[in-house]
Amino acid sequence: MLNFAGRALSGIVSAAMLLFSSFEGNNAQFADVLIGHDTHAIRIRTALVHAFDNDFEQIFRSGSPIIITYTLNVRRGGTIIDTITYENMVIFDPMNRFFQIEAEAGNFYTFTDSCDELRAIISEVDIYYDHLGVDGRYDFELSAHMDRVMLSSLEREFDLMMLWNYKRPQVSFRYTVVSYES
């Protein structure tokens, strides 16, 4: 009975999302990147801005897992030396009315009932790239995308990238690691 009630609520939210949505789209982009290093890691901090403004509250409340994937490509000397992906996942519990958030890109796991707090958490990027103590210039490219989501209540897939106008936000930056001897 509880499963039926959850599906019914999820169905109502999903139907409302498609019927009343503005489908304005969002101009998702990364904020300025803050970067620094220590003896073993380069710390990269930024956030997606304007990514989850329009239409996303209904998507988040659909009950389907929503995954935002951040990909970090690292180059040295023009050659890709590493590609790392981080998944930020949101699942809404319609019966208890809270969001479960697993944000790998921000190393943050929590529950919240606030959509504003949810947006802030899944937008944050705070990652450490292990440079293994190797000095030199590192070129980075950070991008974000979302996969299609199955809206079970409507029995159809929905391409979330439509809400980003089919544009994958990305930012490129470089950083030079120099070891200091004391």
Side-chain angles (χ1 to χ4, degrees):
M1 181 70 173
L2 289 178
N3 191 23
F4 174 74
R7 283 181 165 235
L9 180 60
S10 177
I12 291 168
V13 169
S14 297
M17 172 193 68
L18 291 178
L19 291 174
F20 301 113
S21 174
S22 65
F23 286 111
E24 227 174 280
N26 297 287
N27 294 314
Q29 59 188 0
F30 284 100
D32 290 340
V33 178
L34 302 174
I35 192 164
H37 81 279
D38 62 18
T39 56
H40 297 289
I42 298 170
R43 185 177 186 186
I44 301 163
R45 296 188 70 199
T46 186
L48 273 177
V49 293
H50 309 298
F52 305 108
D53 299 340
N54 302 316
D55 301 314
F56 270 93
E57 185 164 354
Q58 296 91 347
I59 296 283
F60 291 141
R61 292 184 186 279
S62 72
S64 297
I66 308 301
I67 299 173
I68 300 94
T69 303
Y70 294 90
T71 303
L72 180 68
N73 289 313
V74 184
R75 288 184 162 79
R76 275 184 46 92
T79 303
I80 292 181
I81 61 169
D82 219 345
T83 298
I84 306 167
T85 59
Y86 305 89
E87 289 186 346
N88 287 2
M89 182 173 60
V90 176
I91 299 174
F92 182 67
D93 181 341
M95 295 305 293
N96 295 309
R97 305 189 51 76
F98 66 81
F99 301 99
Q100 176 184 341
I101 307 166
E102 296 179 19
E104 287 180 343
N107 196 26
F108 203 77
Y109 306 91
T110 191
F111 298 91
T112 185
D113 60 356
S114 165
C115 206
D116 289 336
E117 185 178 6
L118 161 70
R119 286 182 181 107
I121 292 169
I122 63 172
S123 297
E124 290 294 317
V125 175
D126 188 1
I127 54 180
Y128 291 86
Y129 176 73
D130 190 352
H131 61 74
L132 304 172
V134 177
D135 288 358
R137 188 179 85 194
Y138 291 81
D139 294 304
F140 297 94
E141 181 182 273
L142 179 64
S143 64
H145 78 276
M146 298 177 290
D147 293 331
R148 293 176 173 270
V149 63
M150 181 63 173
L151 298 175
S152 58
S153 58
L154 299 177
E155 297 179 2
R156 63 182 286 213
E157 266 191 346
F158 185 73
D159 188 353
L160 293 176
M161 288 303 290
M162 179 178 75
L163 298 174
W164 284 356
N165 299 312
Y166 296 104
K167 294 177 185 169
R168 185 183 284 225
Q170 68 180 39
V171 63
S172 297
F173 51 96
R174 66 175 40 137
Y175 191 75
T176 301
V177 174
V178 178
S179 297
Y180 297 101
E181 305 262 340
S182 52

